[in-house]
Amino acid sequence: YKRQVSTQSTGFFLMSATDYSQEKPWKLYYWPRLQGRGEFVRLIFEFRNIPYIEMGRLPESEGGGIPSIIEIMKGGENQFPLNAPPIIQRDEITISQTANILFYLGKKYDLAPHDEADQHRALQISMTLVDLVSETHNVHHPISTTLYYEDQKDAALIAAKHFCQIRLPKWLQYFERVLKWNNKLSSSESDVWLIGTQPTFVDIQLAQVVCGLEFAFPRSFKQIESTIVNVIKVRDQIMKHKNLQNYLSSERRIPFNRDGLFRDYPELDQPRPE
């Protein structure tokens, strides 16, 4: 399953002048029917028009499919042990863990700050978003990932109430604070970003998280929307980018579903009483 690169203009804000579309493709290993954590990596590749091959979605006859993911996780005598996808690989480079992959790709493809202190602020934000994603997943799987949702629904209903009414506003208002702080430093009157004056990998990461939260908890999200106007603006700036618009309307984009991180169980969407 190979990414077809575009030679068209990339969007409405200043982007990298480098054309990455002729590079050797990366191999991305992630489960074939899930957005999951692999989606954050896909969005970076798509945003920068970087060629990649989705190994899990390739036929097994072409060396892909789930067996290819199992094989790279098993590794060999000369490979550093890997725990779980997403995993990217090209030539001698093999990297796993979402925040680690995004940090690497961000620096390589001009989606990270140049200042060292800001790079680590970006990494800090990225790891915070990973924590939020894990907590969101634990709403529908509060006891164990080895159990079905239906086997832990009573516990999930309790977890969902606390998440929707307390944790969700706290999480998103933190990112709102970061955006206000950075916007004050950058003195921008138009675009807002988490770090600096241009989009970085953490803006893309945040945009996907916001889309997922709105899908999973639409009523709870709507309740706090007016308090996170800059968070919403980042989502819109990123997702309206030309490359991502092409991606979102293509078969490469796996829709949100009830097998992924963000699941739309109506009974778990429990906004605060009005």
Side-chain angles (χ1 to χ4, degrees):
Y1 196 89
K2 301 180 181 180
R3 159 79 165 89
Q4 299 297 314
V5 298
S6 169
T7 57
Q8 299 178 4
S9 172
T10 55
F12 55 85
F13 41 72
L14 180 64
M15 299 300 297
S16 171
T18 306
D19 177 13
Y20 301 111
S21 64
Q22 302 307 309
E23 281 196 355
K24 180 179 179 179
W26 285 91
K27 293 179 180 179
L28 169 61
Y29 294 85
Y30 200 72
W31 310 116
R33 290 178 292 277
L34 299 179
Q35 281 193 16
R37 292 169 177 83
E39 190 66 13
F40 299 106
V41 184
R42 296 182 189 107
L43 288 168
I44 296 292
F45 285 145
E46 297 282 349
F47 192 87
R48 274 290 188 248
N49 210 26
I50 301 163
Y52 67 101
I53 301 172
E54 182 109 32
M55 297 301 295
R57 298 172 77 179
L58 274 183
E60 291 184 27
S61 61
E62 296 180 26
I66 290 178
S68 71
I69 303 171
I70 302 300
E71 186 64 27
I72 196 170
M73 285 196 295
K74 285 168 53 179
E77 292 182 2
N78 298 319
Q79 179 184 295
F80 186 84
L82 302 171
N83 181 52
I87 299 163
I88 61 169
Q89 184 180 62
R90 192 173 71 177
D91 299 327
E92 301 302 314
I93 297 174
T94 303
I95 306 173
S96 69
Q97 288 291 347
T98 306
N100 191 30
I101 293 171
L102 300 185
F103 188 52
Y104 172 83
L105 293 176
K107 291 197 294 182
K108 184 172 181 65
Y109 293 109
D110 197 23
L111 280 170
H114 298 291
D115 178 76
E116 184 178 18
D118 280 346
Q119 285 181 2
H120 287 278
R121 290 190 183 103
L123 180 58
Q124 175 179 305
I125 294 168
S126 180
M127 295 172 76
T128 304
L129 284 162
V130 168
D131 289 343
L132 169 53
V133 168
S134 294
E135 188 171 327
T136 304
H137 177 272
N138 290 345
V139 171
H140 53 77
H141 275 70
I143 297 175
S144 174
T145 57
T146 63
L147 297 174
Y148 290 110
Y149 165 66
E150 290 75 16
D151 297 327
Q152 49 196 316
K153 186 173 179 179
D154 289 344
L157 289 167
I158 297 171
K161 179 179 179 180
H162 289 272
F163 181 80
C164 292
Q165 298 182 16
I166 301 171
R167 299 294 292 166
L168 179 61
K170 182 176 181 179
W171 278 113
L172 293 181
Q173 285 161 13
Y174 164 71
F175 297 111
E176 183 73 11
R177 284 167 45 213
V178 174
L179 286 160
K180 288 180 178 178
W181 182 82
N182 184 61
N183 195 49
K184 181 172 63 176
L185 289 183
S186 65
S187 301
S188 173
E189 296 181 1
S190 53
D191 298 337
V192 294
W193 307 111
L194 287 162
I195 296 285
T197 59
Q198 290 294 307
T200 65
F201 68 96
V202 288
D203 296 297
I204 297 171
Q205 192 178 357
L206 175 62
Q208 168 65 7
V209 169
V210 171
C211 289
L213 291 170
E214 188 171 19
F215 169 79
F217 309 105
R219 293 187 300 135
S220 300
F221 188 90
K222 184 71 175 177
Q223 192 174 63
I224 63 171
E225 205 169 22
S226 64
T227 70
I228 52 167
V229 292
N230 289 295
V231 168
I232 300 299
K233 189 171 183 179
V234 168
R235 179 202 63 190
D236 292 345
Q237 289 170 170
I238 291 296
M239 292 305 187
K240 289 179 181 178
H241 182 267
K242 184 176 180 61
N243 285 354
L244 292 193
Q245 285 286 292
N246 291 339
Y247 169 63
L248 295 173
S249 62
S250 76
E251 64 178 11
R252 297 191 303 280
R253 172 72 165 190
I254 301 169
F256 288 110
N257 58 63
R258 291 187 180 177
D259 293 319
L261 295 168
F262 304 101
R263 305 189 185 186
D264 63 332
Y265 298 117
E267 64 272 20
L268 298 187
D269 186 11
Q270 301 182 42
R272 295 187 309 275
E274 295 292 349

